[in-house]
Amino acid sequence: MNEFYNKMKYFEEIEKIPAQIYYHYTTLDVLYSIVTSKTFRLTSLKSSNDKSELFYKPEQFLVDFQEIIDIEDNENEKNYFKLIKNSIGQNKDKFLRECRARRYPYALCLSEKKDNLTHWDRYASGCTGVCIGFNVAALNVYLQRMASLAFGIGLYDVGKVLYSDEEREKYIRNGLIRFFNLLYEQEGVRLEKKELLELIDKNGYVYATSIYLQLAKFVKKDSFIDEDEVRLYHDTASIKSTLHLIDLMESSIESELYNNLRKNFKDVTKNLGLGKEQFGMMKSGIRGYKALCLEEIWGSGTIPEIILGPMCVQNGNELRRFLKANGLEGTKVSTSKVPIR
């Protein structure tokens, strides 16, 4: 599909998917590799030298949850939280088993901060690199085009990394309250309070497990708070689990629809390059990674902007010609305004 169909305006006005732009700071060498291959690398979090990655254990979740119960001033919600705690206690082995299920996590580190000195210095080769604007909503455009939006969305998740106890506790509390609200009004039928309490008492550990698994993707220790990271997260297990979900539908939908759903999802996984782990030489040594190939949606709608670092020697006009030659004709090129030259 050509550049016209992959412009931001087309995504937003025709595909009806608004932009969601984050920034990736990197070197010129890596920019060259990303543009010529139309691919970002999601690096393995398990091989990270950062020991704070994936540190958030279910035991810490239980400590955070107890703090939420202790400080909650809404009596109804405090009672709901206590029922969940009781449900976890009665199903402790199931809760821990699900929380400790093997994960195969990969991530692309992004930021909300545009033209930020700390990020230039730390991640863009001492201010000599570039900052790439990446519209992550373009992935939803592709899933929608492949009629896989409902299932493909499980392939990745995007969220702000949480560093403090307060951020984690707020995430847990708000997530559980959303569960309560969804349960309270199921398909427009309002439950009696007694029925709601019975559901929470019975399935509370399941709701807590769901919140833990989502939260664990985006937690780091507070000593890294100045990173202000946004993470695009992929877990290899999500491919198998989504195919399993589609298979569960086989008996209840037409065979042609089932076959199309399965084929489209497999095509999405293959085209994005997420099916196979690869290895590359990086600053910290040989690292495993998953390719995130954007060829199907490559254009200025996916990469709307590239900023040259405050000490970058790259000629802007030369870069524009390079981008145009590689399908990014409409991508804006600018120079950092950080005054350190």
Side-chain angles (χ1 to χ4, degrees):
M1 194 170 284
N2 64 36
E3 162 73 357
F4 174 81
Y5 296 101
N6 291 335
K7 289 185 176 181
M8 189 79 71
K9 186 175 181 179
Y10 194 89
F11 288 170
E12 294 188 322
E13 295 184 3
I14 306 301
E15 308 278 3
K16 304 300 182 184
I17 295 180
Q20 188 180 2
I21 302 170
Y22 297 111
Y23 298 92
H24 182 65
Y25 291 77
T26 190
T27 65
L28 279 169
D29 287 345
V30 172
L31 171 68
Y32 180 85
S33 175
I34 289 170
V35 172
T36 55
S37 66
K38 301 178 177 63
T39 300
F40 282 96
R41 287 184 177 184
L42 310 184
T43 51
S44 171
L45 294 180
K46 286 200 169 183
S47 64
S48 173
N49 286 340
D50 182 350
K51 300 305 181 184
S52 75
E53 302 284 13
L54 306 177
F55 88 95
Y56 192 63
K57 306 302 181 187
E59 291 80 6
Q60 181 60 52
F61 173 88
L62 294 177
V63 172
D64 288 341
F65 187 41
Q66 182 60 57
E67 178 66 15
I68 292 169
I69 294 172
D70 292 342
I71 65 175
E72 181 58 54
D73 55 10
N74 181 303
E75 286 304 315
N76 276 337
E77 286 163 5
K78 184 187 281 281
N79 289 334
Y80 296 157
F81 294 149
K82 286 180 178 179
L83 284 175
I84 289 179
K85 180 184 176 182
N86 182 60
S87 178
I88 293 172
Q90 292 180 344
N91 298 274
K92 190 72 172 284
D93 289 343
K94 291 180 182 179
F95 172 77
L96 292 176
R97 184 170 62 250
E98 291 300 318
C99 289
R100 292 170 178 164
R102 290 193 68 183
R103 291 181 286 153
Y104 307 88
Y106 298 81
L108 174 67
C109 296
L110 303 164
S111 176
E112 289 183 316
K113 291 183 176 179
K114 174 180 174 180
D115 198 11
N116 177 266
L117 179 57
T118 299
H119 287 67
W120 282 124
D121 188 54
R122 186 174 297 176
Y123 305 113
S125 193
C127 301
T128 64
V130 298
C131 172
I132 305 171
F134 176 23
N135 177 22
V136 298
L139 291 166
N140 283 355
V141 172
Y142 178 52
L143 294 174
Q144 183 167 279
R145 289 175 180 176
M146 292 294 291
S148 295
L149 188 59
F151 295 100
I153 202 70
L155 281 174
Y156 68 93
D157 201 353
V158 179
K160 293 188 68 172
V161 171
L162 307 177
Y163 300 95
S164 68
D165 295 348
E166 292 77 16
E167 287 177 315
R168 294 197 308 268
E169 290 165 13
K170 181 179 179 181
Y171 187 100
I172 295 167
R173 182 183 183 278
N174 290 347
L176 290 174
I177 288 174
R178 281 196 296 272
F179 268 116
F180 301 154
N181 291 336
L182 287 171
L183 290 170
Y184 190 51
E185 293 194 10
Q186 300 184 64
E187 298 181 1
V189 179
R190 180 166 292 190
L191 291 178
E192 295 292 335
K193 185 172 182 179
K194 180 182 177 182
E195 295 174 301
L196 178 62
L197 293 173
E198 289 173 351
L199 271 175
I200 294 173
D201 188 46
K202 179 181 178 182
N203 298 317
Y205 79 97
V206 177
Y207 312 145
T209 301
S210 176
I211 296 296
Y212 167 79
L213 291 174
Q214 185 69 13
L215 176 59
K217 302 174 184 179
F218 300 109
V219 171
K220 290 182 79 169
K221 292 180 178 175
D222 59 6
S223 53
F224 294 88
I225 194 168
D226 64 331
E227 291 180 346
D228 195 37
E229 180 185 342
V230 174
R231 179 174 288 174
L232 191 154
Y233 179 101
H234 163 72
D235 190 329
T236 299
S238 65
I239 299 173
K240 184 176 180 180
S241 61
T242 302
L243 285 170
H244 177 63
L245 180 61
I246 294 173
D247 287 344
L248 290 176
M249 299 174 61
E250 182 178 8
S251 61
S252 60
I253 61 176
E254 294 181 1
S255 59
E256 183 179 359
L257 176 58
Y258 163 74
N259 290 332
N260 285 339
L261 287 174
R262 213 173 196 283
K263 179 182 183 302
N264 287 354
F265 181 75
K266 284 190 169 183
D267 286 346
V268 164
T269 304
K270 179 182 178 181
N271 292 341
L272 289 177
L274 294 172
K276 182 181 179 182
E277 183 179 41
Q278 302 180 54
F279 296 89
M281 192 67 192
M282 304 177 195
K283 286 192 296 185
S284 57
I286 298 171
R287 294 277 302 277
Y289 71 91
K290 287 289 190 79
L292 181 65
C293 181
L294 304 170
E295 184 169 6
E296 299 294 329
I297 42 171
W298 190 251
S300 60
T302 300
I303 309 294
E305 181 177 15
I306 294 174
I307 306 167
L308 300 177
M311 298 180 68
C312 183
V313 298
Q314 173 64 50
N315 180 278
N317 289 330
E318 193 81 18
L319 178 59
R320 290 182 184 90
R321 293 202 299 274
F322 166 70
L323 296 176
K324 181 178 179 180
N326 286 276
L328 295 177
E329 181 175 358
T331 299
K332 179 184 176 182
V333 176
S334 62
T335 302
S336 168
K337 292 182 171 49
V338 174
I340 64 168
R341 289 178 180 76

